[in-house]
Structures are given as C-alpha cells and as structure tokens.
Amino acid sequence: PTDYDIHLTPSTTNTTPGGSFSVNVDHDSGALQISGVGASLTFDPTRVQVTGLTRGADWVAAVTDGNAAIIGYPAAANLATFIASANAAGKIPNISASFTDGAASFTGTHTLYAVTFTAGTCGSSSLALPIGAVAVAPSDPGTIYVGTGEPVVAPGLRAPEAFVPGNGLYLSTDG
C-alpha cells in the first residue's frame, strides 16, 4: 500500500470444520510516521469462534520500553471472558495502541493484534474491519462521507485522543 492502510493478513484462508486459523490485524503506513492505531474486527459467530488473541510484538516492545500504551486489550485474567463476549457479539471491540512520549512513531507494516479462530461449520465467512461513521453533506445529499475510524471508550481519554484512526475518509459525490 502507498497510503496508510489497516488490513488482515492473510486476506483469505481455507480450513475444515473444527480447524483453526490465525489472522493478523496489520497497519501499514509506508513512509508516513504514525503514533497510534486501533481497530475492531467483526465476524460471523455461527461460522467461526475466537479461540486466541495476542498483541503485536512491536507494540508489546514499545509498551515494555515505557513508550506506548495498549487500550482495550484484556488483562490475562480477563482474556477468557473477553473472548466469550467477542464470540457472543461477533465482534472484537476496539483495541488501540499509541505512543505516549509524544516523540516515537512507527513507519511500515506492524501487527496490532493477532486472532486465532476455529471454524465451526462448512461454508464461507467474512471478517471485517468496520466503518466508523457515515455522513451526508447537508448542502448536497449526493455528497457522502465515510469515516473508517472508531471511537474509543476508555477511562482517562478525552477528545481529540478518544478516537481510532481508520483506513481514511472516503468521499462520494454521486451518492
């Protein structure tokens, strides 16, 4: 990608019922320096179930160094409850990470978190990084803005910090 991008790696995979597979929620900023990222992930819980969740190694190293924070990722003691809730809802809620020192940043591709799923039934299923907001311009109903960020609900955060950068802002001028 030449612009900032959040994507799943691998983008497709095949498995059998009862088989497991993993996907990374990756962010790629190319040469652009970013200081934070976040994403939620939706899935069909009748087809697949989350069985594991791990933080991306580069973000873990930044947290260990005292330069970053990861918000929304469950403590080890709460991981089973978090996974059960995600499976019931069909959504891993927003997990975000940001540098806290005001100076550090990442460029290139890094993994925010990885998810392991187990396939439950035959058929296909989609995983999605959801849209954060859709707005129609009051001056022109044919102008539509689609934002891919998502609000963060976490203690201690306030605007403008209380959002997650997405895959960009899309504009349609023909409805």
Side-chain angles (χ1 to χ4, degrees):
T2 58
D3 297 318
Y4 185 79
D5 175 64
I6 298 177
H7 58 273
L8 301 176
T9 306
S11 59
T12 62
T13 190
N14 293 309
T15 191
T16 58
S20 65
F21 62 96
S22 294
V23 296
N24 292 340
V25 176
D26 289 337
H27 56 96
D28 183 355
S29 64
L32 178 69
Q33 294 181 331
I34 62 160
S35 60
V37 64
S40 57
L41 180 67
T42 59
F43 58 95
D44 181 349
T46 66
R47 299 275 189 187
V48 295
Q49 291 280 291
V50 176
T51 55
L53 183 69
T54 56
R55 294 176 287 183
D58 293 333
W59 282 107
V60 170
V63 169
T64 302
D65 291 344
N67 295 334
I70 297 176
I71 301 166
Y73 192 89
N78 300 328
L79 185 58
T81 301
F82 182 92
I83 288 174
S85 295
N87 284 330
K91 180 178 182 178
I92 294 174
N94 186 67
I95 295 175
S96 59
S98 63
F99 287 102
T100 56
D101 64 2
S105 63
F106 277 143
T107 59
T109 302
H110 302 274
T111 298
L112 176 59
Y113 60 91
V115 185
T116 302
F117 290 95
T118 296
T121 61
C122 290
S124 63
S125 182
S126 295
L127 306 176
L129 298 163
I131 298 297
V134 177
V136 177
S139 60
D140 178 8
T143 300
I144 301 171
Y145 297 92
V146 178
T148 59
E150 185 171 334
V152 175
V153 180
L157 285 184
R158 64 192 188 298
E161 300 162 332
F163 75 95
V164 173
N167 195 17
L169 179 67
Y170 297 95
L171 169 66
S172 171
T173 56
D174 61 0

